[in-house]
Amino acid sequence: MGPFSFEEAMATYRKKKPRVYQETCVREAIEDLNRQRDVIIQLPTGTGKTYIYLPIVCSALNAGLRVCILCPTKDNQRQIENCSMDFSCNATPSTVYGIEEYDCAITGERADYLICLEEREECEKKGLQCEVLQANKQYGEDIFVITNFAKFLSVKPANEFDLIVVDDSHGFENSLEQRFQSSMRYGKANSLYEEYK
């Protein structure tokens, strides 16, 4: 028996009753998670996949596990955050967006990825109230995090996650590919700069 319990997951439903197929999916997912297997829930659009994995997430959180839900867009993040309110959960989600969604303490404008990379240590030393640093802290320490693929691929959290849910795996596959491409482009540009400066 692993840390997940079907009965505890079902007890987290507050506002909506699960459909029969959703209960079956939750049961099967929990059985596989307790066998330490990766689980894929593949159902047509509009069948309530979020309402299948959220009771499992809440059950994990209620057991003291650290959970991250990854999704491709801000709209998805907000939707999942709103849906999580339909469940009994010991943790409130911390929704962590990309850098460009926060204000820069230095420029007073929206944060820029390259400036942030260059100035982050300086901000930390000066103790500036930087929204990006605060978001990174939440990502690294909070027990329940909803974030995007880019954050997950570019920032190592201070504490590992016990359960990671990837909402829209096709978007994640594309993010992996894009991350690799941008890393390659940055590497080439950096080496050319060093060669010709």
Side-chain angles (χ1 to χ4, degrees), residues 8-25:
E8 288 174 15
M10 289 295 101
T12 66
Y13 280 95
R14 251 191 342 204
K15 294 188 177 180
K16 294 184 180 187
K17 289 253 184 213
R19 297 178 183 128
V20 174
Y21 69 87
Q22 289 174 318
E23 275 191 46
T24 302
C25 287

Side-chain angles (χ1 to χ4, degrees), residues 96 99 102-105 111 116 119-141 151 155:
V96 179
I99 288 174
Y102 299 104
D103 290 330
C104 175
C116 196
E119 302 294 334
R120 188 170 295 163
E121 286 182 31
E122 198 60 35
C123 288
E124 288 172 341
K125 286 179 190 172
K126 290 180 180 177
L128 293 175
Q129 295 300 314
C130 173
E131 291 179 349
V132 173
L133 293 177
Q134 180 60 35
N136 284 349
K137 184 176 182 196
Q138 287 177 297
Y139 174 69
E141 297 176 3
K151 176 67 76 179
V155 178

Side-chain angles (χ1 to χ4, degrees), residues 61 64-68 91-94 96 124 133-146 151 155-162:
L61 291 164
L65 300 179
R66 188 162 189 263
V67 179
C68 181
T92 303
S94 292
V96 179
E124 288 172 341
L133 293 177
Q134 180 60 35
N136 284 349
K137 184 176 182 196
Q138 287 177 297
Y139 174 69
E141 297 176 3
D142 289 0
I143 191 166
F144 183 13
V145 176
I146 301 171
K151 176 67 76 179
V155 178
K156 183 170 174 34
N159 299 303
E160 296 295 322
F161 294 103
D162 300 303

